[in-house]
Amino acid sequence: MKEYNYIFLLLIAFTMGLINTGCTDMDEDTMGRMTSKDFYADPNLIPQAVGAAYAELQAYQNHWGVWGFQTVSSDECVVPTRIPGNDWYDGGVWQNLHKHQWEVRLGQLNTLWVSIYSGITTCNRVITDLDTYKEFIDETVYGRYRAETIILRSFYYTILLDLFGNVPYVADYEGEITSYPQTPRTELYEKVLNDILSNVEFLDEKPDPVNYGRCTKPMAYAMLAKLYLNAKVFKGASAYDVNDMNKVIEYCNLLIKHEDYQIVSDFLEPFKVYNESCKENIFVVPMQNGINSNGDYEFHFHKFSGHPRFRDVFGILVSGWNGGCATPSFMDIYSDEDYRKRATFLYGPCFTPQGEPVANPDLPGEQLNLTIEVESLEAARKWNGARIQKYEYESGMNGNMNNDFVIYRLSDIYYMKAEAILRGGNASLAELCNDEGFQLIRQRAEQSVYTPETLTLDELIDERGREFAWEGWRRQDLIRWDKFSKGAWTFKTAQADNTRDLFPIPYDQITKNPSWKQNSGY
């Protein structure tokens, strides 16, 4: 039983209602109800208030959420329309997302924007309440939870910084988001960076069951490393700054040397159903089947990518929706000997857990054989495409997944350090290549370890794809390599400029404030 995950998620659900109705009621105490002053004066209740601000992270992994826009727009995932029928056409949304032909009026993009700003608004509400009742709160408790909420707000802002660029920076709980001016992307980057640096010292040093899935110093270090690594893009610079790369190395080293984290010998351990004890995972979104009434806030890779006969293949009690699959060109970056290829994706003849062939319902008398090839973006066969199986599917699962969704893990930290060195950072690539943890990433994949001669930037972008497939980082990685808008892969042609490196400010938002300017190219 994932007890502390379950409790944390229940607190989110409970306090969303509590904070919405109670924390702005400053002094009223009718019919014996607890006032906000009493609530915040109790150090055992404050974590519940902060917990409400994590709620929108539950939608991160959804195919309509942050993960979906990051992944389906990249070279690693495609959602073809399937025949016979018109499954997953959805007005051409998925085809356009993959081909980089999305529209400003795309409703799902507006939903994503609203979700992220909802998380920010909740953070601002909690910060306001903490400041309002500061005199009733122990100083250490106040500092710790105020810092945690600001760090979480910063994480939400890193998403907006990455996806939309020029968005309002709102740090109070006063008015509508669209009443604030846009903040230029470079300025937003600096504000987010400063918020993290000003608050990281107040966070917990070590992971434990109480702060699991919450912002800690290690989580903040990982976020800082990501920000500095992408600083050239976020600042609109023409070259990578050595100082930024040295900062990446500095924060990566803090995590590599941290006694509570290590590279594990099993590549799939971070993605098991019960992955809360995995020492490679630094920051996760706790998930639990049945906690949320909104299905978008529950984890269902098995539905999004799964063939309907996944119930036979994995012994689960729910059918797949036959949606997303690996892009054939992405599968080409793996060698057939790479353990991660077959561990990450299911392809080829399908069998039950007992070894019996699984029948193809669309080809009577034939075994289900998932092809790597996808015949057409507009008219794919229902058995086309390799399917995700990186996250363990629990035998007997009925509903959605209980695996916690991984955002930061130590292998990413190692590879960020390698990239920073290759981009001019002052550290030894030879020393990194001799690090046992760094070598284990390749050894567990049944691949030869890197040397300073074999680890190049051209190799690293492919290696990041192999190691972090479908973890939500591919779009951001390709942008750093200038291979996102200008890149070409199966069903997507290269563009002449980088205008699609940012999504448009949603139409429903930009039309509310005439002073806002749309991103270039829209």
Side-chain angles (χ1 to χ4, degrees):
M1 177 67 180
K2 306 176 74 166
E3 184 174 354
Y4 49 86
N5 305 40
Y6 185 76
I7 292 173
F8 181 36
L9 290 166
L10 282 178
L11 289 177
I12 289 175
F14 170 71
T15 53
M16 283 181 71
L18 177 65
I19 299 302
N20 280 331
T21 58
C23 289
T24 55
D25 181 11
M26 300 300 183
D27 299 304
E28 184 178 0
D29 185 11
T30 61
M31 300 179 66
R33 292 183 303 183
M34 178 180 288
T35 65
S36 296
K37 179 184 71 175
D38 294 331
F39 184 90
Y40 280 95
D42 188 338
N44 295 314
L45 295 179
I46 292 178
Q48 298 179 24
V50 179
Y54 287 85
E56 290 302 327
L57 287 186
Q58 302 296 302
Y60 187 99
Q61 44 64 45
N62 191 261
H63 53 281
W64 289 122
V66 177
W67 179 89
F69 278 91
Q70 294 277 24
T71 304
V72 181
S73 65
S74 80
D75 67 343
E76 65 183 350
C77 177
V78 62
V79 186
T81 303
R82 297 190 182 273
I83 59 171
N86 213 24
D87 292 348
W88 288 95
Y89 176 65
D90 293 345
V93 167
W94 300 106
Q95 295 179 25
N96 291 336
L97 187 57
H98 191 75
K99 294 187 293 184
H100 291 195
Q101 296 177 1
W102 50 77
E103 299 292 335
V104 174
R105 293 175 182 258
L106 181 60
Q108 292 82 4
L109 204 58
N110 185 65
T111 300
L112 174 62
W113 171 286
V114 170
S115 174
I116 300 305
Y117 266 113
S118 177
I120 290 169
T121 299
T122 305
C123 288
N124 287 337
R125 182 173 59 217
V126 172
I127 293 167
T128 298
D129 286 340
L130 287 168
D131 290 345
T132 299
Y133 301 110
K134 180 180 178 180
E135 63 179 299
F136 304 105
I137 307 172
D138 175 83
E139 183 177 355
T140 301
V141 172
Y142 166 81
R144 184 254 180 269
Y145 286 107
R146 190 178 194 277
E148 178 186 349
T149 311
I150 292 174
I151 296 295
L152 177 60
R153 184 182 70 189
S154 299
F155 180 77
Y156 285 122
Y157 271 120
T158 65
I159 298 170
L160 295 170
L161 180 69
D162 182 28
L163 293 177
F164 299 104
N166 309 294
V167 305
Y169 174 81
V170 182
D172 56 52
Y173 185 54
E174 296 297 331
E176 295 293 329
I177 298 299
T178 50
S179 68
Y180 292 82
Q182 275 178 300
T183 305
R185 195 182 198 188
T186 299
E187 184 180 337
L188 179 63
Y189 168 79
E190 295 295 341
K191 286 180 178 293
V192 173
L193 197 62
N194 289 335
D195 278 348
I196 302 171
L197 293 173
S198 299
N199 288 277
V200 64
E201 65 180 290
F202 299 103
L203 300 178
D204 290 347
E205 297 267 2
K206 297 170 66 66
D208 61 39
V210 175
N211 62 35
Y212 181 78
R214 303 180 74 135
C215 300
T216 60
K217 278 187 180 178
M219 177 273 185
Y221 295 156
M223 184 162 45
L224 285 167
K226 284 282 184 186
L227 281 168
Y228 282 116
L229 188 64
N230 290 281
K232 172 182 175 289
V233 174
F234 295 158
K235 294 188 291 187
S238 59
Y240 284 88
D241 188 315
V242 171
N243 293 326
D244 290 332
M245 296 303 100
N246 287 339
K247 283 293 185 181
V248 176
I249 294 167
E250 174 187 341
Y251 287 108
C252 287
N253 282 341
L254 288 173
L255 291 164
I256 290 169
K257 296 174 182 178
H258 200 293
E259 63 181 6
D260 291 293
Y261 301 104
Q262 66 183 46
I263 300 296
V264 296
S265 59
D266 180 2
F267 167 68
L268 291 176
E269 183 181 329
F271 315 103
K272 297 291 187 182
V273 175
Y274 297 94
N275 58 348
E276 64 270 27
S277 62
C278 180
K279 289 194 171 184
E280 187 166 324
N281 293 339
I282 297 169
F283 182 57
V284 304
V285 180
M287 306 300 295
Q288 188 80 26
N289 179 36
I291 289 291
N292 290 292
S293 58
N294 184 342
D296 289 344
Y297 288 71
E298 294 210 331
F299 193 8
H300 48 234
F301 271 12
H302 62 305
K303 294 177 180 177
F304 168 68
S305 181
H307 187 277
R309 287 300 171 91
F310 260 31
R311 61 181 185 271
D312 299 322
V313 174
F314 292 101
I316 60 180
L317 304 179
V318 59
S319 295
W321 297 336
N322 219 9
C325 58
T327 309
S329 54
F330 184 76
M331 297 294 285
D332 289 339
I333 70 173
Y334 294 90
S335 71
D336 288 338
E337 293 74 32
D338 194 322
Y339 171 75
R340 293 169 298 192
K341 182 177 184 179
R342 58 187 183 274
T344 302
F345 297 105
L346 178 66
Y347 54 93
C350 293
F351 298 87
T352 68
Q354 294 74 36
E356 296 296 323
V358 172
N360 187 337
D362 298 292
L363 294 175
E366 294 192 21
Q367 183 178 2
L368 178 62
N369 186 356
L370 296 174
T371 64
I372 289 177
E373 176 193 6
V374 178
E375 296 178 23
S376 167
L377 180 61
E378 296 80 15
R381 299 290 181 179
K382 293 185 177 181
W383 55 87
N384 283 173
R387 313 305 171 89
I388 190 70
Q389 62 172 353
K390 191 174 198 173
Y391 278 88
E392 180 185 17
Y393 299 139
E394 187 174 14
S395 177
M397 173 172 51
N398 186 13
N400 295 307
M401 297 164 61
N402 289 315
N403 320 56
D404 297 332
F405 185 81
V406 181
I407 293 181
Y408 297 137
R409 60 187 179 100
L410 190 60
S411 57
D412 194 1
I413 303 304
Y414 269 111
Y415 279 168
M416 284 197 287
K417 179 179 178 179
E419 184 180 341
I421 295 172
L422 290 168
R423 296 195 188 279
N426 296 321
S428 169
L429 189 61
E431 183 178 329
L432 178 62
C433 288
N434 286 326
D435 183 291
E436 290 183 1
F438 185 74
Q439 290 180 339
L440 183 55
I441 300 172
R442 293 279 291 177
Q443 289 169 340
R444 68 187 182 184
E446 301 173 1
Q447 299 293 286
S448 58
V449 299
Y450 283 125
T451 67
E453 293 73 33
T454 59
L455 184 54
T456 64
L457 282 172
D458 285 343
E459 168 61 21
L460 186 57
I461 184 60
D462 285 347
E463 175 65 6
R464 285 192 61 84
R466 293 184 286 258
E467 179 68 19
F468 307 114
W470 285 42
E471 292 184 42
W473 295 116
R474 188 62 173 171
R475 171 188 161 274
Q476 190 180 92
D477 291 348
L478 290 173
I479 289 172
R480 286 200 309 281
W481 265 265
D482 200 22
K483 292 184 175 183
F484 184 67
S485 292
K486 294 180 179 178
W489 51 80
T490 310
F491 309 126
K492 191 263 182 186
T493 58
Q495 295 173 288
D497 56 39
N498 290 320
T499 55
R500 295 289 157 154
D501 283 3
L502 282 175
F503 288 100
I505 307 299
Y507 178 82
D508 287 353
Q509 304 301 320
I510 200 167
T511 53
K512 295 176 182 177
N513 191 325
S515 71
W516 286 12
K517 296 185 182 300
Q518 185 55 273
N519 290 329
S520 178
Y522 295 100

